[in-house]
Amino acid sequence: MSLLRPWRLFAAARGCSVRGLGPGPAPSSWDFRAGPPPRPRPFHAGPWLWSSASSKDALVKLRRRTGYSFVNCKKALEACGGDLKQAESWLHKQAQKEGWSRAAKLHGRKTKEGLIGLLQDGNATVLVEVNCETDFVSRNLKFQQLVQQVALGTLLHCQNLKDQLSTYSKGFLNSSELSELPAGPEKEGCLKDQLALAIGKLGENMTLKRAAWVKVPAGFYVGSYVHGAMHSPSLHNLELGKYGALVVCETSERKASLEDLGRRLGQHVVGMAPLSVGSLDDEPGGEAETKMLSQPYLLDPSITLGQYVQPQGVSVVDFVRFECGEGEEAAETE
């Protein structure tokens, strides 16, 4: 008797193949007189093996680069045969599809919360407003990065305008104009694409509400203030808050005290909400006064803002004020 016969009988009883480790046919279907059972099909691990150290390194790198979950990164690498660059592109495309889909579902939901972003670079300064549904999301880093991206896109738009400045220039962008701005040198598509990605990640409706920009030549200065300001973690000169103001001043000389003066003027604009600049010749007004220079000075109500500014050697010529969620109540009433 063959020495293999006892082993074959044992293997048949266990439902195993003699030659392989995979499952074999049931014992009743074996005919040992016809020879050994068929060789089992080899085990396949899929298009991309995860046991190698290099594949694990690729997974970690993709996760760090994109911020997406390990599960999604693994799917991307499997779909792209382990190619890191293709996997990153695949992830962004999938996230964009999901973001647009979720944005369509959430469209129309009220966005009363959000942040004002203020960014200054050289002679250009911008204010932007991005809204969301809850204050909880406005404190999320991903939402703040969206505000940062919108501020950068607006700043680049402002800087790319080819104008010969003899005096200051000011401009505004509404929601649709803002959405069509390029996302910047390091991002693909427009700001509306970045908005869709953020909606897909955070699961709330969001809107790019508006933006304002100011450019000044020599002889002018832009004071700025953000109420409750917090600085962006990745862009040190971006300030975020619920209120923001820019104040354009004309000055004959650059003074060290201009930054502090500009901040105080911005505080006044945020707190007193003037509707126009007015003139130093205007009569002092009370608390209901809407002309900026005739209003009681916020930090010293015993004098007007005009009386505070005049000895400083500057002239206030214009301002911009943003309040987060401004106009939403009026829109609901209408």
Side-chain angles (χ1 to χ4, degrees), residues 19-185:
R19 291 191 175 185
L21 296 176
S28 60
S29 66
W30 282 14
D31 186 352
F32 294 111
R33 291 172 295 179
R39 190 183 185 98
R41 283 182 286 179
F43 172 74
H44 289 278
W48 199 58
L49 297 175
W50 287 91
S51 57
S52 66
S54 62
S55 60
K56 291 178 182 177
D57 288 342
L59 178 61
V60 172
K61 284 181 182 177
L62 188 61
R63 160 76 174 167
R64 285 176 180 169
R65 278 189 195 180
T66 64
Y68 294 110
S69 68
F70 279 111
V71 172
N72 287 331
C73 289
K74 183 177 177 181
K75 285 180 184 177
L77 287 166
E78 286 177 343
C80 300
D83 187 292
L84 199 61
K85 191 172 182 179
Q86 288 183 21
E88 187 172 351
S89 178
W90 185 90
L91 272 174
H92 288 317
K93 287 178 182 177
Q94 292 299 115
Q96 197 70 62
K97 288 179 185 177
E98 292 174 11
W100 280 117
S101 175
R102 182 167 284 187
K105 291 177 183 177
L106 298 177
H107 180 72
R109 282 165 53 165
K110 302 299 180 184
T111 53
K112 297 181 181 179
E113 299 294 336
L115 287 171
I116 304 296
L118 186 150
L119 181 61
Q120 290 184 294
D121 183 57
N123 70 334
T125 311
V126 302
L127 271 182
V128 301
E129 180 180 355
V130 183
N131 299 128
C132 56
E133 294 181 46
T134 64
D135 187 56
F136 177 77
V137 162
S138 73
R139 288 183 267 115
N140 187 286
L141 177 60
K142 288 184 173 64
F143 180 80
Q144 293 174 7
Q145 288 171 337
L146 173 64
V147 180
Q148 172 181 302
Q149 196 63 48
V150 174
L152 279 170
T154 305
L155 182 67
L156 289 173
H157 168 75
C158 173
Q159 292 174 332
N160 289 336
L161 294 174
K162 305 298 181 184
D163 44 11
Q164 298 295 323
L165 291 177
S166 57
T167 184
Y168 77 98
S169 64
K170 180 177 74 170
F172 293 90
L173 297 167
N174 61 30
S175 181
S176 58
E177 292 167 333
L178 198 54
S179 296
E180 296 300 328
L181 290 184

Side-chain angles (χ1 to χ4, degrees), residues 97-326:
K97 288 179 185 177
E98 292 174 11
W100 280 117
S101 175
R102 182 167 284 187
K105 291 177 183 177
L106 298 177
H107 180 72
R109 282 165 53 165
K110 302 299 180 184
T111 53
K112 297 181 181 179
E113 299 294 336
L115 287 171
I116 304 296
L118 186 150
L119 181 61
Q120 290 184 294
D121 183 57
N123 70 334
T125 311
V126 302
L127 271 182
V128 301
E129 180 180 355
V130 183
N131 299 128
C132 56
E133 294 181 46
T134 64
D135 187 56
F136 177 77
V137 162
S138 73
R139 288 183 267 115
N140 187 286
L141 177 60
K142 288 184 173 64
F143 180 80
Q144 293 174 7
Q145 288 171 337
L146 173 64
V147 180
Q148 172 181 302
Q149 196 63 48
V150 174
L152 279 170
T154 305
L155 182 67
L156 289 173
H157 168 75
C158 173
Q159 292 174 332
N160 289 336
L161 294 174
K162 305 298 181 184
D163 44 11
Q164 298 295 323
L165 291 177
S166 57
T167 184
Y168 77 98
S169 64
K170 180 177 74 170
F172 293 90
L173 297 167
N174 61 30
S175 181
S176 58
E177 292 167 333
L178 198 54
S179 296
E180 296 300 328
L181 290 184
E186 297 181 3
K187 300 286 184 180
E188 295 181 2
C190 301
L191 288 178
K192 63 182 178 182
D193 299 315
Q194 300 303 312
L195 174 68
L197 280 172
I199 291 173
K201 289 176 181 177
L202 297 175
E204 273 197 12
N205 190 27
M206 301 174 198
T207 51
L208 309 182
K209 186 172 182 180
R210 54 180 171 168
W213 53 264
V214 174
K215 287 175 75 173
V216 295
F220 286 82
Y221 177 76
V222 179
S224 62
Y225 174 71
V226 172
H227 185 67
M230 51 185 170
H231 290 273
S232 165
S234 54
L235 197 64
H236 70 278
N237 56 341
L238 175 71
E239 292 184 74
L240 302 167
K242 295 294 184 180
Y243 299 80
L246 307 179
V247 183
V248 184
C249 301
E250 190 170 6
T251 177
S252 57
E253 58 179 314
R254 181 81 181 191
K255 299 178 181 179
S257 61
L258 276 180
E259 185 173 346
D260 184 56
L261 174 63
R263 176 179 171 80
R264 289 169 182 260
L265 293 176
Q267 284 178 314
H268 178 92
V269 170
V270 164
M272 298 297 289
L275 300 179
S276 63
V277 174
S279 164
L280 291 173
D281 297 327
D282 294 332
E283 290 294 324
E287 292 182 2
E289 178 62 62
T290 60
K291 294 178 181 178
M292 180 179 175
L293 295 174
S294 300
Q295 289 178 322
Y297 176 38
L298 181 69
L299 302 180
D300 184 2
S302 67
I303 59 174
T304 65
L305 184 74
Q307 290 169 338
Y308 168 71
V309 169
Q310 198 169 19
Q312 309 289 339
V314 302
S315 300
V316 177
V317 294
D318 209 345
F319 66 89
V320 179
R321 181 185 185 275
F322 276 8
E323 179 180 339
C324 188
E326 193 173 28

